[in-house]
Amino acid sequence: MSQNREQWGSKLGFILAASGSAVGIGNIWKYPSMAGQNGGGAFTLVYLACIFVVGLSIVIAEFVIGRKTQLSPVGAFEKLAPGTNWKWVGYLGVSSAFVILSFYGVVGGWILKYIIDSFSGGFDALAGNPEVAGTMFNGFITSAWNPVIYQVLFMMLCIGVIINGVKGGIEKWSRIMMPMIIVLLGVLAIRGMTLPGGIEGLSFLFNPRFEDLTASAIVLALGHSFFTVSLGMGTMITYGSYIDKKQNLLNSALWVIFLDTAIAMLAGVAIFTTVFALGANPAEGPGLIFIVLPTVFAQMAGGAIWSTMFFILLFMAALTSAISILEVVTAYFIDQKGWSRKKATIQFGAVITVVGAFCSFSLGGGINITEFLGMPFMDFMDYLSSKYMLPIGGMLTAIFVLKKWGISNYLAELKNGMGEKNFPPQLVKAILTIAAAIVAFILFNEVYAEIFGKALIG
Ligand code: TRP
């Protein structure tokens, strides 16, 4: 099976695809809104630390497992630990993909709608008026069919890319969209910094005020470091399975982490300089992108152009991430069940679209199948994946390398493509142990909070 496995066309293509997966709604929407609500610079500092300690070590572990086995997660764990329960880590990953893509597709649909609205001048009436913008946004997402139409459209684009495979689909589109994201963000950041008063946004984002560094911000930053680098569900195992043995995985992982972080920071700069220049509220939270920004852009000269640019780049970021989630499901059915790519992509793309429609309906369209949990189905899917499934998956991946596969086997694969470099096994062991321990603690804290109503920290 692995002889004719698809491969990336080049190292650059792979780096753009993997960073395309990493750079998504998490960077451009979640990070700035979390930083805004948690004291700006202080949050940024913790976020950076988490990404470089926990994020980097687990990205490398996923790449190594993928390249060694040339298989997607279920097959990969089964191959390295045959006949054991480790393959369930792979199944957990495939399940997480279902859960994440179902709500991610809904947000992808909102973005498409906002591209059309901003381009057609629909934001003009919102200038400086967050109440009206809030009513418009909430009216849209809580209506029954309108958001679902856009969600279906977004999912169809996703399926359209994945059907064309690794090189002809994922790599091709990432090569087009990643550079465009960087250019558009760069332009928006420069525009923001040159607005009168925009520079204040920079000091908000980067100046750490340690009195703002709450325990809950630390926990939040840790959880987000998984989501933003696409860790814990085998996305990077799957992408790693299409790499050849000549590639330097440490170098590739550093590029992915660097691009992911740089783009999150750039998004923060573009957004906060603009928000500060126009005197809007930086601590709006999730409403920052869909409510505050439209009111801010509408006040600027050429606002429709700036906001259309912003939502187009957000759309591209969302699409290159969404395809990586769908690829995990598709690759499972190709590798383990022998299905054709076309059949796997269409069937499971459709199933995820239907589950996603229920996410959308749960916001107000009338059908909420998780009413008994006290939250809409959409929020439940987000909560379940970000707080539990991804951290558990990432932690088990680190434990797998440490306890089952073994550091020496791991390092032997990592060294392919790296020349004569030697890694001190003890150091690698220590880093992976720290990463696993940190995640274990966050999980414990979360479960403790659920049971006792109050977290140990946060
Ligand atoms: N990293 C993406 C973002 O920041 C989302 C994403 C893509 C993801 N693939 C994933 C998250 C796998 C977790 C797991 O928006």
Side-chain angles (χ1 to χ4, degrees), residues 19-28 30 96-97 100 104 224 226-236 260 317-318 320-326 328 385 390:
S19 53
S21 166
V23 173
I25 299 173
N27 302 58
I28 295 162
K30 276 194 172 179
S96 309
I100 296 178
Y104 210 86
H224 185 59
F226 267 77
F227 189 87
T228 188
V229 205
S230 306
L231 291 181
M233 52 158 265
T235 307
M236 295 304 181
D260 186 71
T320 48
S321 297
I323 57 176
S324 75
I325 309 176
L326 184 56
V328 172
S385 53
L390 297 177

Side-chain angles (χ1 to χ4, degrees), residues 214-335:
T214 61
S216 68
I218 298 178
V219 177
L220 205 64
L222 264 165
H224 185 59
S225 68
F226 267 77
F227 189 87
T228 188
V229 205
S230 306
L231 291 181
M233 52 158 265
T235 307
M236 295 304 181
I237 295 182
T238 309
Y239 274 23
S241 75
Y242 308 124
I243 309 179
D244 64 55
K245 298 280 180 199
K246 293 191 290 293
Q247 208 177 106
N248 179 330
L249 293 183
L250 176 63
N251 178 278
S252 302
L254 283 169
W255 267 109
V256 172
I257 296 275
F258 167 74
L259 284 171
D260 186 71
T261 310
I263 291 177
M265 298 297 125
L266 204 55
V269 170
I271 292 169
F272 287 112
T273 49
T274 313
V275 164
F276 271 81
L278 292 152
N281 178 13
E284 182 67 35
L288 185 64
I289 295 300
F290 290 105
I291 299 174
V292 177
L293 275 189
T295 69
V296 167
F297 283 129
Q299 288 170 276
M300 290 163 55
I305 298 172
W306 299 114
S307 61
T308 308
M309 255 168 73
F310 178 81
F311 284 103
I312 287 179
L313 89 85
L314 182 56
F315 159 74
M316 292 190 294
L319 187 63
T320 48
S321 297
I323 57 176
S324 75
I325 309 176
L326 184 56
E327 178 63 14
V328 172
V329 179
T330 298
Y332 166 73
F333 285 95
I334 297 176
D335 289 345

